[in-house]
Amino acid sequence: MVTDIFHDPRRYGDMQSWREEALSLHGRGPIHRVEVDGFRPIWVVIGHDEVMQIERSPELFTNEPIPVLADDASIKLTAESPMQLRTLIHMDRPDHTDYRRLTNDWFKPANIALRSDRLDELSRQAVAKLEAAAPEGRGVIDFSREVAMPYPLQVILSILGLPESDYTRMLTLTQELFGATDPDLQRGQGSPEEMGAVIMDFFQYFAGLTQDRMAAPTDDLASLIANGEIRGAPIPDLEKLGYYIIIATAGHDTTSASMSEGMAQLATHPEQLELLRHDPTLIANAVEEMIRLASPVRHFMRTAAADTEIAGQRIAAGDWLMLNYTAANLDPRHFTDPLRFDVNRTNAGKHLAFGFGIHFCLGAQLARQELRSLFSHLVPRLATAELAGGEASSSAIFVSGYKSLPIRYTLDGPSRVHD
Ligand code: HEM
């Protein structure tokens, strides 16, 4: 390997070069051994078929003990901490099955459909922001900060049942959690100790919430978790907190990053924007293509439970494997001309941005619905869009995407915001 696009967070700060390098790596095979100082050696799996093959065998490739890449020092520190974060993605069967069952129905399409009014209202507010910033029909806006970040956060807060006054706090904590390696987002210097403090802040916030919802349950998701039972017994406190944290954090940065990626692609592919404006029925497929290219969850790790083989490569029991979803979504064996944004791509929906198998993203339907609603409202009004310069992506190896995306745009059509 010439340079390392998987361990070095700064490489995700420049997605153009990251994608080009991932594509060239595909030419050298679907699985690669990578050894970097300070980390255990890993296998990086970038082949679309190979990622699916591993996800199909959760007994052979487990999420435990460590599902996200971390260096030796952080692993040691985490192991010594009395507060071990244990969420759905840290679990294997049978615990995973039982914990996932608790909230699974909440995220099914029928229940998500009940929220479509709220999503459409947020989409109208997003269009209103673009209108307000373009009094003469032309404007410049940081789409990432003004639209893509607040929208999914408001959705998640309302699903969990948290007050909007906690919006800023949750956004900051999530960005500190996922952006520990990004100087603009990290707390302090992003040291393992400071990361521990971020997790403690989450714990404290949600401990208060648990007490509230146990004393006075409502019909929100926080009440379901606070009063939930696993095999007839109350959920232990740490697992309860882990549940809130994964829903509160997994639900917004990821979706925001996908929205921003979608806008960046439209701003750099005017002919694709035109296609959508002429035929809005393409928006659902365009959203899949946006999520494929965004792939904001860059990876999850698996540990081999026994000796096995992937693509002819011998894997030993105990080996650590990275499922790199962002690279798998650029697999040229699966996606023709994979770097191209193509709203008509026939297999766009076969991307792996939401993973696959038993850990398949719990919020996938919700995230899709948010993007569909947003772009269905935006596209009819967006006559033109282009990058205004100064766009920036976060430097993080786990969840990353645009943190700033200034666009210059013109609007047309009648304002429907005040209908
Ligand atoms: C575009 C937005 C999103 C992307 C790209 C994304 C991506 C992912 C990925 C790759 C996984 C792991 C899948 C695997 O291991 O096979 C995952 C799991 C998960 N996601 Fe998402 N996610 C998104 C939005 C959401 C939303 C909106 C929520 C919740 C409201 C959410 C909640 C979760 C949870 C709870 C898990 C753990 C599931 C499990 O381990 O069983 N995600 N997501």
Side-chain angles (χ1 to χ4, degrees):
M1 171 147 324
V2 189
T3 57
D4 177 31
I5 56 172
F6 303 109
H7 289 74
D8 183 350
R10 289 166 303 181
R11 296 302 309 270
Y12 283 104
D14 176 2
M15 282 310 287
Q16 172 98 10
S17 89
W18 194 98
R19 287 181 181 130
E20 281 163 12
E21 198 160 325
L23 193 57
S24 86
L25 211 53
H26 275 293
R28 296 176 16 217
I31 175 164
H32 301 266
R33 178 88 169 167
V34 185
E35 297 184 15
V36 169
D37 282 350
F39 289 83
R40 279 173 57 195
I42 60 171
W43 294 103
V44 180
V45 187
I46 60 173
H48 190 281
D49 291 346
E50 289 72 16
V51 167
M52 283 176 73
Q53 179 188 345
I54 291 172
E55 298 245 41
R56 276 197 186 99
S57 303
E59 263 76 35
L60 182 55
F61 297 101
T62 63
N63 282 40
E64 287 183 54
I66 305 169
V68 176
L69 183 68
D71 60 20
D72 297 340
S74 307
I75 292 175
K76 185 167 175 285
L77 206 85
T78 307
E80 288 162 359
S81 160
M83 298 291 259
Q84 304 276 348
L85 190 62
R86 188 159 181 261
T87 72
L88 283 178
I89 53 153
H90 295 82
M91 295 178 188
D92 294 309
R93 283 170 173 161
D95 277 9
H96 175 263
T97 315
D98 293 334
Y99 276 86
R100 176 133 179 166
R101 191 179 295 132
L102 190 69
T103 54
N104 216 29
D105 284 354
W106 247 82
F107 288 96
K108 288 220 168 111
N111 201 37
I112 297 306
L114 299 177
R115 313 212 153 249
S116 62
D117 285 353
R118 173 73 178 132
L119 300 189
D120 290 344
E121 185 189 323
L122 289 169
S123 301
R124 281 193 293 276
Q125 286 172 12
V127 175
K129 278 192 183 167
L130 265 73
E131 286 181 344
E136 306 294 323
R138 308 171 171 271
V140 175
I141 196 167
D142 186 332
F143 188 82
S144 172
R145 288 177 203 272
E146 299 298 328
V147 176
M149 284 184 197
Y151 185 134
L153 186 61
Q154 276 165 308
V155 175
I156 282 302
L157 288 186
S158 71
I159 283 183
L160 269 173
L162 311 185
E164 292 211 2
S165 50
D166 292 348
Y167 169 111
T168 319
R169 187 156 180 216
M170 276 296 118
L171 183 63
T172 307
L173 283 175
T174 306
Q175 290 183 336
E176 286 173 342
L177 186 71
F178 289 149
T181 47
D182 187 300
D184 291 340
L185 306 176
Q186 67 195 186
R187 175 177 299 190
Q189 304 300 309
S191 68
E193 291 79 5
E194 280 158 330
M195 282 304 291
V198 170
I199 292 176
M200 284 304 295
D201 283 357
F202 267 117
F203 276 147
Q204 263 164 19
Y205 177 87
F206 286 118
L209 184 73
T210 296
Q211 279 168 5
D212 278 4
R213 295 304 194 276
M214 285 174 76
T218 69
D219 60 356
D220 61 25
L221 195 54
S223 299
L224 189 66
I225 296 168
N227 300 291
E229 293 193 344
I230 299 289
R231 285 169 234 133
I235 303 181
D237 284 347
L238 269 180
E239 275 77 357
K240 233 178 236 181
L241 295 168
Y243 223 132
Y244 296 128
I245 291 179
I246 192 171
I247 289 178
T249 58
H252 63 89
D253 256 23
T254 49
T255 313
S256 311
S258 304
M259 289 174 170
S260 289
E261 182 70 43
M263 177 50 88
Q265 294 295 342
L266 293 177
T268 47
H269 296 82
E271 80 294 348
Q272 301 291 311
L273 175 59
E274 267 316 295
L275 286 173
L276 295 183
R277 282 166 63 82
H278 277 107
D279 183 1
T281 63
L282 288 175
I283 286 179
N285 197 57
V287 161
E288 296 306 319
E289 182 70 342
M290 292 166 177
I291 296 173
R292 177 183 75 87
L293 283 170
S295 266
V297 175
R298 309 303 190 188
H299 80 271
F300 271 113
M301 303 300 291
R302 299 291 189 266
T303 299
D307 292 353
T308 182
E309 216 183 89
I310 295 288
Q313 190 68 62
R314 235 196 110 258
I315 308 291
D319 279 2
W320 214 18
L321 298 97
M322 170 186 282
L323 308 183
N324 195 282
Y325 302 113
T326 314
N329 282 337
L330 301 178
D331 186 343
R333 294 177 304 167
H334 203 82
F335 299 108
T336 315
D337 198 358
L339 301 191
R340 209 162 73 89
F341 174 61
D342 177 3
V343 298
N344 279 305
R345 187 181 289 282
T346 49
N347 65 349
K350 299 281 181 206
H351 64 74
L352 292 174
F354 293 121
F356 187 75
I358 65 166
H359 290 276
F360 180 78
C361 176
L362 187 63
Q365 291 313 323
L366 178 62
R368 286 183 159 129
Q369 205 46 50
E370 289 181 46
L371 267 88
R372 284 179 199 156
S373 172
L374 176 66
F375 286 101
S376 299
H377 284 79
L378 210 51
V379 162
R381 299 294 322 283
L382 197 63
T384 64
E386 58 181 3
L387 299 182
E391 65 275 9
S393 299
S394 56
S395 299
I397 57 165
F398 176 36
V399 174
S400 51
Y402 282 104
K403 57 185 176 185
S404 177
L405 181 68
I407 58 155
R408 184 174 298 111
Y409 59 95
T410 54
L411 297 176
D412 65 10
S415 167
R416 293 206 216 103
V417 172
H418 304 293
D419 284 0

